[in-house]
Amino acid sequence: MTENPRRPAAARRARTLPPWSLLAAGVVAGGLLGGAYGALKPPVYTATAYVVAVPTEKSDPASALGFAQAYGRVATQLAVLGDAQVWAGVPVRTLQSSVQTATSPDAPMVSITATSPRADLAADMANAVSRSLTQHAKSSRTATNVELQQFARAVRPTGPSSMSPAVSGLVGASAGGLLGALVLLVRPRRDAQEEAARPAAVPGPALAAESHGAL
């Protein structure tokens, strides 16, 4: 089997390329891949509704804060989402994967955030879960002495919350440049490769004779 005579020449040309060329190639490739990902990925819209825990005459603000933490944990449970699916018009499984809640350690407030490829559906899901949660809290108001009230409805978002192709392209270019820099750091140095490939020096006959006479 004969060797390809073009392969050594191509390898020599690759070794003679300046080090910054690998870094530039990584930046260009990462930018193209990141931009293509941002252009092909469907946009994601985010909407958030807020409910607040209010103590009754038989309770205090500290109890309201504690119950707000508890309601934030149960907002995504099946008991609440079962009613919310009717108002949102989506299955419970969609609500479970698209709705998240958050609470504050300083304020008796629960934020309900929904994400969806559709802006109107994101707002509908957030409002449906907040409505269902306030209804469940109302049914147990006598036992908890705390009620949930709607603080702010979710509005239809005017723009996607996901990264635009330009931003994803910049992120990809940064990642490609970082990868190219790492490759430059770990690759063997050209001087070390040439030193390893250079044959060892053998003393000439005269030098070998002088060394023998000295001994």
Side-chain angles (χ1 to χ4, degrees):
M1 182 177 180
T2 59
E3 296 183 356
N4 188 357
R6 298 181 179 178
R7 184 174 302 173
R12 285 193 299 269
R13 286 195 299 268
R15 287 195 298 267
T16 57
L17 290 176
W20 58 264
S21 62
L22 184 60
L23 182 62
V27 171
V28 173
L32 291 176
L33 291 176
Y37 175 79
L40 296 177
K41 184 181 179 181
V44 176
Y45 297 89
T46 302
T48 304
Y50 296 91
V51 295
V52 60
V54 179
T56 63
E57 297 178 355
K58 299 180 181 180
S59 184
D60 52 26
S63 298
L65 181 60
F67 276 106
Q69 302 289 331
Y71 283 129
R73 289 190 291 268
V74 303
T76 55
Q77 300 300 316
L78 187 60
V80 176
L81 299 183
D83 294 336
Q85 69 173 342
V86 179
W87 297 317
V90 296
V92 173
R93 183 176 301 177
T94 302
L95 293 175
Q96 289 176 334
S97 61
S98 304
V99 176
Q100 295 181 348
T101 61
T103 57
S104 172
D106 302 322
M109 186 173 294
V110 182
S111 65
I112 302 168
T113 302
T115 57
S116 174
R118 290 169 43 195
D120 57 340
L121 185 57
D124 290 342
M125 289 191 296
N127 289 325
V129 175
S130 65
R131 178 182 176 183
S132 178
L133 184 61
T134 55
Q135 293 294 329
H136 278 267
K138 184 177 180 180
S139 62
S140 58
R141 174 184 174 182
T142 304
T144 62
N145 293 320
V146 172
E147 65 176 355
L148 283 183
Q149 296 180 1
Q150 189 175 61
F151 184 79
R153 287 180 54 86
V155 297
R156 179 177 178 176
T158 57
S161 57
S162 55
M163 290 190 300
S164 64
V167 176
S168 61
L170 290 176
V171 174
S174 301
L178 179 60
L179 183 59
L182 292 177
V183 173
L184 287 176
L185 291 176
V186 300
R187 74 170 186 172
R189 295 181 57 185
R190 185 183 304 173
D191 296 341
Q193 292 177 349
E194 295 177 353
E195 187 68 23
R198 185 180 303 170
V202 179
L207 183 59
E210 291 176 1
S211 300
H212 182 70
L215 295 175

